[in-house]
Amino acid sequence: MHHNLIAGYHPEAAQTIPRQEALKPVYLLMTRPRAASERFVAQLSTDTQHRLEPILTPLLDIRAMSGGVDIGDARGLIFTSSNGVAAAARVLGARDLPCYCVGQATKAAAARQGWVATMAGESAEALIAGLLKLRPQGPLLHLRGESSVGNVAQALTQLGLTSREQVVYRQDLLPFTDQALAAFEGSKPIIAPLFSPRTARQFADLAPNASALWLAAMSDAVSNPLISLGARALTVAKRPDTDAMATAVEKLVKQALRVEGGPDAH
């Protein structure tokens, strides 16, 4: 079933890369968890997908924390990622509290789980500003990952909107897969979209060389750890969402093909 979403993906890929290189002119290195990576590739245009050989190499392993969620006196929930939504949905039966989300993807994930969801901003900073304008009834409860940016609950409380937080999932770092490492040893361009600062730092620490890398970062905070790599290109999406990242990847594919001057460069 998964193979239909990402054409050409094979679990034995380290052995098949030489054959794949002849079929697809560009690698697409996907560092998100598998389901999120497959959704992202499906967003790309058919024309772009025909030029890409996706390689799934998640750099984070998302694990829900044991135990339940202490709702207490919370009158609303805050989600800053779809991972937080998924972890909370596993342990919370009720969907009676409104929730306030970062980005349309997180809002959509919360809505699919049955919450009445509001997109309050496209980043943690924008969420804080949005909630201060909305002034929902508090206290609010931020359900987040073990590694998080923005200190959302603390900032909101200091600004007069009482909030607290609870860690509901952890993000363990992972190494590159054998297939990803083999791609770095090949000769064709590698497009790599990076979606979080922590993933970007792990990517920068692990990348064996940057001579073939064309990078897309979801925000300036994501791009910062990547600057020192010296990749062929590093572009920041116009907005911190997957649609803008898909656009950035499609542009990088065209640029890489033009530079390489291959048969698909048009």
Side-chain angles (χ1 to χ4, degrees):
M1 178 175 68
H2 292 301
H3 293 193
N4 292 333
L5 286 176
I6 299 186
Y9 171 72
H10 301 287
E12 70 281 6
Q15 288 78 23
T16 63
I17 278 180
R19 178 177 59 82
Q20 291 172 342
E21 278 203 342
L23 297 175
K24 304 277 189 173
V26 180
Y27 287 128
L28 178 67
L29 218 58
M30 292 301 306
T31 60
R32 306 184 91 184
R34 183 185 183 103
S37 291
E38 290 178 338
R39 285 195 300 270
F40 181 78
V41 175
Q43 283 185 251
L44 301 172
S45 69
T46 302
D47 185 61
T48 298
Q49 290 186 47
H50 286 164
R51 289 164 170 74
L52 294 173
E53 183 61 51
I55 297 174
L56 272 60
T57 179
L59 295 184
L60 291 179
D61 181 25
I62 307 299
R63 294 181 179 269
M65 304 291 281
S66 59
V69 171
D70 179 17
I71 293 294
D73 60 351
R75 305 300 297 270
L77 305 176
I78 298 172
F79 292 119
T80 46
S81 75
S82 56
N83 292 319
V85 172
R90 292 188 188 101
V91 295
L92 286 178
R95 300 290 189 267
D96 53 335
L97 295 180
C99 63
Y100 306 93
C101 304
V102 167
Q104 291 293 346
T106 305
K107 174 190 171 183
R112 284 195 299 271
Q113 292 291 345
W115 275 289
V116 176
T118 299
M119 199 280 278
E122 292 186 335
S123 65
E125 294 78 8
L127 173 97
I128 292 167
L131 284 171
L132 292 175
K133 288 182 181 179
L134 289 170
R135 284 288 169 183
Q137 190 172 10
L140 301 178
L141 174 60
H142 180 199
L143 300 175
R144 66 172 183 85
E146 191 174 42
S147 176
S148 184
V149 296
N151 296 317
V152 170
Q154 180 182 346
L156 286 170
T157 298
Q158 290 174 347
L159 293 167
L161 182 54
T162 301
S163 304
R164 60 186 177 87
E165 62 183 24
Q166 181 176 341
V167 172
V168 292
Y169 68 95
R170 58 185 293 181
Q171 309 112 304
D172 296 330
L173 294 171
L174 296 174
F176 281 132
T177 62
D178 289 344
Q179 186 188 9
L181 292 173
F184 279 104
E185 295 176 359
S187 59
K188 66 186 191 181
I190 301 171
I191 309 290
L194 283 307
F195 294 82
S196 75
R198 192 159 187 241
T199 302
R201 287 193 295 272
Q202 178 74 341
F203 187 97
D205 288 343
L206 294 180
N209 69 74
S211 60
L213 278 176
W214 301 70
L215 304 177
M218 197 167 191
S219 67
D220 289 333
V222 177
S223 73
N224 288 338
L226 303 169
I227 294 172
S228 61
L229 270 177
R232 297 290 297 274
L234 172 57
T235 185
V236 177
K238 291 185 177 180
R239 301 179 312 279
D241 59 44
T242 56
D243 287 340
M245 283 290 282
T247 298
V249 165
E250 290 174 353
K251 289 182 178 178
L252 283 177
V253 171
K254 292 177 182 177
Q255 292 171 13
L257 288 172
R258 280 200 299 269
V259 169
E260 295 299 316
D264 290 287
H266 56 75

